[in-house]
Amino acid sequence: MFDLGTTIAGVRLDPCIMNASGPLCTTFAELTDLARSAAGAVVTKSMTLAPRQGNPEPRYADLPQGSINAMGLPNLGVDAYCEFSELLRALGKPVIASVAAVEPGELVPAIARAASAAFDLIEANLSCPNLPGHPIIAYDVDALARLLREARAVCHRPLGVKLPPYFDRVHQERVAALLRETGIDFITVINSVPNALVIDLEHERPLIHPKGGFGGLGGAFVKPIALANVRAFYELLDGAIPIIGVGGVYTGRDIAEFLLAGASAVQVGTAYRQEGPAIFARLAQELASVLAEKRCAAAADLVGRLQPLPAAAETLPA
Ligand code: DHB
């Protein structure tokens, strides 16, 4: 009855709701569960050239307003995911490869390898905050430019970029110009808000072990930051590059806010980890209810529709 789908770089995602790379998408069993859920696509854990164990535990904690993690890219390595790709696609929905690197020089070979497999879209993760001693690549616009050019040259599949939150319009302007110039097909915003610290007052310790407790924040904490980045890139890109919004989606109403801000689709991280694959059917149903309330036939009708708030009328005494 309602069209909950979208098309990104020629790939139909229906509904426009999928998991975020990170939780519960590392093993073949987890990816199969996603493929059998009501999600519109399956997104893999960020894969690196070689398999990784990741950082020491405890490296994830649930919080009342979200989550904190410093996982350190635990994954099975790009070759394993390439082997899974045909089998996962055979389950009937698009499969998105998230590709990351520890050393910047490892990113382009990993993307080239992933592009040789059956993935529908490639999402280059240039914003992992949890590798001790390694900066977030996407905070260095020159390094980002080099990597995007090299990645674009080896990737014949649709290529997107997962960006970190930016807190300054000038940074967003520079990155938006670069995305246009390098022919990037979609962006995913935002990755976790990096290097947050949550303290356990009773024990006088951080909640997670790696990096002295510093980790990426997700969930309800980050939704306003995510919405702001979606909106800024929507304005700066004039809708020319589709945006996948991520950060604090728990309900259909949250999804509608991301669509209004300018996202064409959303990903779900913390809430998916907390609720499991059944969350996608609930979210699709809730999004349909919002569309019914707003008398819209399609999720696409909401994309970018945020209105300016009129200035309050002046109320000077007569
Ligand atoms: C990890 C965390 C991230 O936010 C990310 O983008 C990639 C990897 C991690 O620590 O595994």
Side-chain angles (χ1 to χ4, degrees), residues 280-304:
F280 298 104
R282 174 177 69 78
L283 290 174
Q285 203 169 48
E286 290 178 2
L287 178 57
S289 302
V290 178
L291 294 181
E293 265 173 46
K294 289 185 172 290
R295 307 204 182 289
C296 288
D301 296 345
L302 293 181
V303 175

Side-chain angles (χ1 to χ4, degrees), residues 45-46 55 69-74 100 125 127-130 162 191-192:
K45 174 68 187 168
S46 292
N55 292 333
N69 88 84
M71 303 299 288
L73 288 176
N125 175 5
S127 43
C128 179
N130 298 330
K162 176 115 169 236
N191 208 318
S192 42

